[in-house]
Amino acid sequence: MNEFANWKVRNAEFIDTIAAVAEANADGKWLRILSFKLNETDIDGDSIEYDTEDYIYCHIEAEGTGTESPVFSDTVLVNYRGRLIPTLSYPEGKVFDESYKGALNPAVNVPTKFSVGGVVVGWSTALQRMKAGDIWRVYIPAELGYGSRKQTDIPAYSALIFDMNLVNLYHIGTPVPKQ
């Protein structure tokens, strides 16, 4: 069987399943975060209803000691691993990009520099809520990732799963250390 058959449908179903787990929040460590590009209320202050693909879902693996979150214009240093949804060949999801090998160890991993506004909407949304030292597993629906666009090892309509560790943030105008 082709593991990418019905890929769009399977990814949407995967996000719906994650949304249900996040909304149940059985362990108290789940966040459901509306895309930073959308408003939670309309002009009259009434709540707006959105679908599961308008949110990212985050499981907090560890809380850092940082006191502030980056904003859209900031630069961040992040350890990360990006995967696709699980398949038979890749039960944890196929890794398509990573800044470290093996287990995450913030004490020795060399983080990658990003502009908060220079990544996919789902990443920007997560980063703007994280604090330095946080380690999150982030589930991004295709619509907040690459959508209908195929990227090198990422098929179109792919939900993305990221293990993210925000190491540090730098406000605009603050020099970022060379890596």
Side-chain angles (χ1 to χ4, degrees):
M1 178 182 148
N2 178 354
E3 287 192 306
F4 295 103
N6 302 315
W7 189 246
K8 182 178 179 181
V9 171
R10 289 178 41 225
N11 278 265
E13 289 172 348
F14 177 80
I15 287 298
D16 287 345
T17 301
I18 293 298
V21 171
E23 288 171 18
N25 200 11
D27 66 1
K29 294 185 175 194
W30 282 94
L31 298 174
R32 180 180 87 145
I33 305 172
L34 183 63
S35 166
F36 79 90
K37 289 189 167 191
L38 300 173
N39 294 320
E40 293 185 45
T41 57
D42 65 17
I43 197 164
D44 298 321
D46 296 325
S47 291
I48 300 173
E49 289 295 318
Y50 289 104
D51 294 323
T52 55
E53 68 268 5
D54 296 316
Y55 295 88
I56 61 167
Y57 303 91
C58 309
H59 189 262
I60 301 170
E61 305 291 321
E63 291 187 38
T65 58
T67 58
E68 63 180 328
S69 298
V71 297
F72 193 77
S73 59
D74 288 343
T75 298
V76 293
L77 295 178
V78 181
N79 291 309
Y80 71 94
R81 176 172 290 138
R83 297 178 283 125
L84 301 175
I85 66 170
T87 63
L88 291 175
S89 298
Y90 300 95
E92 296 296 316
K94 181 180 179 184
V95 174
F96 59 82
D97 195 15
E98 59 190 351
S99 67
Y100 61 91
K101 300 288 185 195
L104 172 64
N105 182 346
V108 298
N109 295 131
V110 177
T112 301
K113 177 174 68 172
F114 291 102
S115 166
V116 174
V119 293
V120 296
V121 172
W123 249 63
S124 292
T125 298
L127 285 169
Q128 291 178 81
R129 294 287 293 274
M130 295 178 81
K131 308 256 189 291
D134 283 353
I135 300 172
W136 291 7
R137 177 159 292 165
V138 180
Y139 299 86
I140 302 173
E143 292 79 0
L144 300 178
Y146 296 105
S148 62
R149 298 182 322 266
K150 178 188 183 309
Q151 298 293 314
T152 311
D153 291 334
I154 305 170
Y157 304 105
S158 291
L160 308 174
I161 305 166
F162 282 97
D163 294 318
M164 298 171 60
N165 165 226
L166 177 59
V167 175
N168 212 339
L169 63 105
Y170 301 90
H171 299 301
I172 196 163
T174 303
V176 179
K178 296 200 187 252
Q179 299 176 356

